[in-house]
């Protein structure tokens, strides 16, 4: 590990807005933020551009970025501290551990911004909009809570729409070319480091917003696997 990463890993241990694998935080975010404002998560937050950007736009809400990479979290956490954003925090942990940190209904919204689309082989189960992850989100989201996906990967976008359709979830918004619209919502104008890289080379940003307030029967996961195989994206 490079010296710069080591320094950042050490630095976040003293940051008041960073928790690493926190214990006994369920139901205690009111005490942490010192308010009962709605909580929004940014999953696989990277450098936390969305958590910080949304935190600046919506001071009456709380935002928590979650990622395993401490050196990336350092950037977002330091920016939040420097900008005096007391409504922004970060958790260093794996995404599949989120039910360890939040009570049922404790989260109002989830943003998934430019995650790894997991395109190789049969890694589609690792996609953050796979039903195995949606079941985790469903556990902590309040009734009617929203999930937002913003990605430059057309494969991940189409996969997510397939999941939404298969499980008959409520799709509230979708676009395969966000910036082509006449009017773009301020929250969709926030740009992450990875958006700027355009790794997918699609020259388009895809977005969808949906709810996960319907049953997600596990037996449909095999149907999803077959659909993805037929689509040739697995």
């Amino acid at each position: 590990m490079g010296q710069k990463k080591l320094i950042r890993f050490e630095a976040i241990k003293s940051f008041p807005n960073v928790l690493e694998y926190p214990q006994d935080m369920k139901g205690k975010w009111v005490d942490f933020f010192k308010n009962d404002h709605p909580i929004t998560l940014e999953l696989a937050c990277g450098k936390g551009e969305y958590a910080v950007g949304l935190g600046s736009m919506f001071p009456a809400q709380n935002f928590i970025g979650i990622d395993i990479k401490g050196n990336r979290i350092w950037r977002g956490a330091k920016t939040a501290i420097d900008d005096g954003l007391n409504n922004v925090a970060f958790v260093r942990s794996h995404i599949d551990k989120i039910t360890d940190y939040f009570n049922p209904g404790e989260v109002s919204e989830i943003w998934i911004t430019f995650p790894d689309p997991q395109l190789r082989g049969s890694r589609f189960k690792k996609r953050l909009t796979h039903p195995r992850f949606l079941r985790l989100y469903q556990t902590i989201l309040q009734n009617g809570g929203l999930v937002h996906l913003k990605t430059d990967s057309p494969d991940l976008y189409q996969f997510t729409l397939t999941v939404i359709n298969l499980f008959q979830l409520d799709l509230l918004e979708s676009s395969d070319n966000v910036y082509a619209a006449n009017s773009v919502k301020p929250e969709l104008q926030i740009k992450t480091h990875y958006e700027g890289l355009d790794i997918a080379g699609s020259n388009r940003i895809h977005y969808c917003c949906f709810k996960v307030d319907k049953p997600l029967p596990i037996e449909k996961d095999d149907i999803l696997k077959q659909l993805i195989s037929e689509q040739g994206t697995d």
Side-chain angles (χ1 to χ4, degrees), residues 195-228:
E195 177 174 350
L197 295 177
D198 189 25
I199 295 173
S202 65
N203 294 314
R204 286 189 176 196
I205 302 303
H206 311 277
Y207 167 74
C208 62
C209 174
F210 60 99
K211 295 181 181 180
V212 287
D213 53 357
K214 292 182 181 177
L216 301 169
I218 197 166
E219 58 268 21
K220 284 192 174 184
D221 289 11
D222 288 334
I223 299 174
L224 175 64
K225 182 177 181 180
Q226 181 62 34
L227 287 172
I228 298 306

Side-chain angles (χ1 to χ4, degrees), residues 89-100:
F90 293 87
V91 170
R92 181 173 176 242
S93 182
H94 292 283
I95 303 301
D96 58 9
K97 300 293 185 184
I98 57 173
T99 55
D100 293 343

Side-chain angles (χ1 to χ4, degrees), residues 12 24 33-34 43-44 52 64 76 80 85 94 97 103 110 137 167 173 183 188 193 206 218 222 226 230:
I12 63 173
D24 303 319
F33 285 111
K34 298 180 175 57
L43 302 183
V52 170
I64 303 173
L85 297 175
H94 292 283
K97 300 293 185 184
N103 272 337
I110 289 174
Y137 310 157
F167 289 90
E173 291 184 56
S183 177
L188 288 179
H193 170 72
H206 311 277
I218 197 166
D222 288 334
Q226 181 62 34
E230 292 172 354

Side-chain angles (χ1 to χ4, degrees), residues 27-40 59-63 87 105-108 142:
K28 296 181 180 178
W29 292 102
V30 168
D31 297 328
F32 179 86
F33 285 111
K34 298 180 175 57
N35 62 59
D36 60 355
H37 298 164
I39 293 174
T40 294
Q61 300 178 36
N62 298 320
F63 299 89
N87 62 332
E106 199 167 10
V107 173
S108 63
Q142 66 185 32

Side-chain angles (χ1 to χ4, degrees), residues 8-129:
R8 290 182 172 184
F9 269 112
E10 191 61 31
I12 63 173
K13 295 182 185 299
S14 65
F15 282 9
N17 60 351
V18 177
L19 302 176
E20 297 190 81
Y21 310 100
Q23 301 294 314
D24 303 319
M25 281 304 296
K26 284 185 173 183
K28 296 181 180 178
W29 292 102
V30 168
D31 297 328
F32 179 86
F33 285 111
K34 298 180 175 57
N35 62 59
D36 60 355
H37 298 164
I39 293 174
T40 294
L41 306 183
E42 181 192 3
L43 302 183
C45 68
K47 297 183 179 183
E49 292 95 342
Y50 252 83
V52 170
L54 291 172
S56 179
M57 285 182 186
F58 304 104
Q61 300 178 36
N62 298 320
F63 299 89
I64 303 173
I66 301 178
D67 204 300
I68 192 60
K69 299 295 181 72
N71 61 304
R72 295 176 183 172
I73 283 177
W74 175 90
R75 178 66 274 167
K78 187 174 188 308
T79 299
I81 291 172
D82 291 346
D83 292 351
L85 297 175
N86 296 321
N87 62 332
V88 177
F90 293 87
V91 170
R92 181 173 176 242
S93 182
H94 292 283
I95 303 301
D96 58 9
K97 300 293 185 184
I98 57 173
T99 55
D100 293 343
Y101 310 133
F102 302 95
N103 272 337
E106 199 167 10
V107 173
S108 63
E109 295 187 43
I110 289 174
W111 279 83
I112 306 169
T113 54
F114 297 88
D116 185 338
Q118 303 290 351
L119 299 179
R120 288 193 301 120
S122 59
R123 294 174 64 86
F124 75 101
K125 285 187 176 181
K126 294 182 177 293
R127 296 171 189 168
L128 294 183
T129 53

Side-chain angles (χ1 to χ4, degrees), residues 160-191:
T160 304
L161 295 183
T162 298
V163 172
I164 291 170
N165 182 63
L166 177 63
F167 289 90
Q168 298 182 315
L169 303 178
D170 291 329
L171 178 63
L172 303 181
E173 291 184 56
S174 66
S175 172
D176 65 356
N177 194 357
V178 169
Y179 299 127
N182 292 329
S183 177
V184 181
K185 294 188 297 185
E187 55 266 42
L188 288 179
Q189 295 180 36
I190 298 172
K191 293 190 177 182

